[in-house]
Each structure stands twice: as C-alpha cells, then as structure tokens.
Amino acid sequence: MSPADTATKPPPAAERVYHHVKQAVLGRRYEGGTLLSEGELADAVGVSRTPVREALLRLEAEGLLKLYPKKGALVLPVSSQEIADVVETRLLVEQHAVAKVVPAGGRLLARLEELLEEQRMHAAAGDLAAFAAADRCFHAEIVRAAGNAILAQLYDQLRDRQLRMGVATMHAEPDRIAKNITEHTEILRALRAGDAAFAAGLVQRHISWVNNLARGEVR
C-alpha cells in the first residue's frame, strides 16, 4: 500500500461511531436523557453493531453515557454537582495560571486576540458549538502559557465537560455569549496592563457565573 493510500484510508468503524456520537452529545444534538439504540446509530454511521458497542463502551468510560443491556445508551444529563466540581477545578487552575503568565508575552496576547475574534465570528453566525470551542481555547492558552505541564494536562481532562456545559448554558442563557466576549476582553486588557491580581479577580468572576446559573442565580 502506498503512502497516499494510507493517508486517505478512512478511520476504523468504531472510531467513526465514537466521533459521531461524541460530537452530537457535546453539541447537544443528543441531549441529556436521550436513549440511543445501537441499531439507529449503526444505520446513521453506516456500520455494523459491533463497532457501535465498542464506541459506546468508550463513551461510557468518559462519563457521557450510561449503557443499559438490550435497551441502548442513555445520554447522561449535566448535573449540578458536576458543574460545581468543574468550576472548582477551573478556579484552582486558571486563577493560578493567569497570575503566573504576567507579564504576558506578545505571542500569548496575539493568540488571545485571535481567539476573541473567532468568538465574535462564531457568535455572529450563531454557531454555539464553535463558540464554546473558541471560548475554551482562550482559557486553555493561558493555562498552557503558565508553563506547568501537569496543570495543563489536568486542565485538558476537563475539555469535554467544558464544551458540553458551555453549549448547554448558552442555550439556557443566550445573553452570556455577549457577556463572555466582554469578560474575555477585560481579561486580555488586564494581561496587557500587567495587573496579575486584577486579572485573577476577573477570571474568578467570569468562571463562577456557571455555578450561579446552576443554582438559578444568573447574573
């Protein structure tokens, strides 16, 4: 087989099912409480049931689904406890990281500005999934720039939960799209000014709103 043939070879069937279901769950095309059947998924992706089972087991291990033998897979709703746990972890990591990157380098500042522009573009197009991804990348860039590989790896483990919560909460509170852009702009301005304490305070306020929404205390 030539290198060109290898490059164009489609991914394994289980991998295709995995990405199909995962993107649908993260983008809320399959919402929490939806029961997915192996047969329907096999038809949707164009594969047999065997790779479907393999993909669903993998997604169950990641905490997105709960399998029920002979019934299917239930898409797990985002719980208030999960939101609280993610917010607590994000605060611990991100407040430390944003203070540590001060004084911020030109490369980081330029990348954050680029991601802000992506968020504005996706907001204008109404693409919440893409907006949530750019939003998450904005924060991840700051964490990576802090230079602690262990913290960056820990933060990356939150990725899927962050994306799913981001789309869900913006559906529930559409005004947050504009507020997120405004608050990211404020964080970037604080980094440009070299004010570590102010930047950390902005991050704390920005992240904590998710908990407020979960408790019905939207600001």
Side-chain angles (χ1 to χ4, degrees):
M1 182 178 292
S2 70
D5 291 334
T6 303
T8 57
K9 185 178 179 180
E15 193 72 16
R16 299 205 308 275
V17 177
Y18 170 81
H19 285 292
H20 169 83
V21 177
K22 186 169 187 174
Q23 291 308 310
V25 170
L26 296 181
R28 291 184 83 239
R29 295 194 303 278
Y30 296 152
E31 296 196 34
T34 302
L35 186 65
L36 308 174
S37 77
E38 291 182 3
E40 289 172 348
L41 292 175
D43 290 342
V45 184
V47 298
S48 68
R49 293 195 180 200
T50 299
V52 171
R53 294 189 192 101
E54 183 181 335
L56 294 181
L57 284 168
R58 183 176 169 189
L59 290 162
E60 183 180 47
E62 294 180 6
L64 294 178
L65 307 175
K66 173 66 176 176
L67 299 187
Y68 292 93
K70 299 181 180 179
K71 292 183 178 180
L74 182 71
V75 179
L76 295 176
V78 178
S79 69
S80 58
Q81 185 59 55
E82 183 181 5
I83 291 173
D85 290 348
V86 169
V87 168
E88 182 178 15
T89 306
R90 287 189 63 190
L91 285 172
L92 289 170
V93 174
E94 292 191 46
Q95 284 186 282
H96 167 79
V98 78
K100 190 176 178 183
V101 298
V102 174
R107 181 178 296 181
L108 173 62
L109 295 173
R111 177 60 179 150
L112 295 179
E113 185 60 59
E114 182 180 293
L115 288 165
L116 256 176
E117 187 55 37
E118 284 185 25
Q119 289 167 60
R120 295 186 187 102
M121 178 183 68
H122 295 314
D127 190 338
L128 294 187
F131 181 91
D135 182 308
R136 193 264 171 195
C137 282
F138 182 93
H139 293 271
E141 286 290 339
I142 295 172
V143 173
R144 280 193 290 270
N148 186 318
I150 295 175
L151 279 182
Q153 184 178 25
L154 170 64
Y155 191 79
D156 282 343
Q157 292 174 7
L158 300 176
R159 178 183 180 275
D160 292 343
R161 287 184 168 90
Q162 283 180 257
L163 292 177
R164 192 177 179 207
M165 289 177 190
V167 175
T169 50
M170 283 184 288
H171 271 284
E173 185 66 18
D175 288 349
R176 278 305 314 181
I177 297 172
K179 288 179 181 178
N180 274 12
I181 292 173
T182 298
E183 290 171 12
H184 282 183
T185 302
E186 291 171 349
I187 292 168
L188 178 55
R189 188 177 298 128
L191 289 175
R192 288 190 188 281
D195 193 332
F198 187 47
L202 290 172
V203 166
Q204 192 278 334
R205 186 188 71 176
H206 176 65
I207 296 173
S208 295
W209 79 269
V210 183
N211 258 343
N212 296 337
L213 180 61
R215 293 194 301 264
E217 301 170 4
V218 179
R219 62 178 176 85

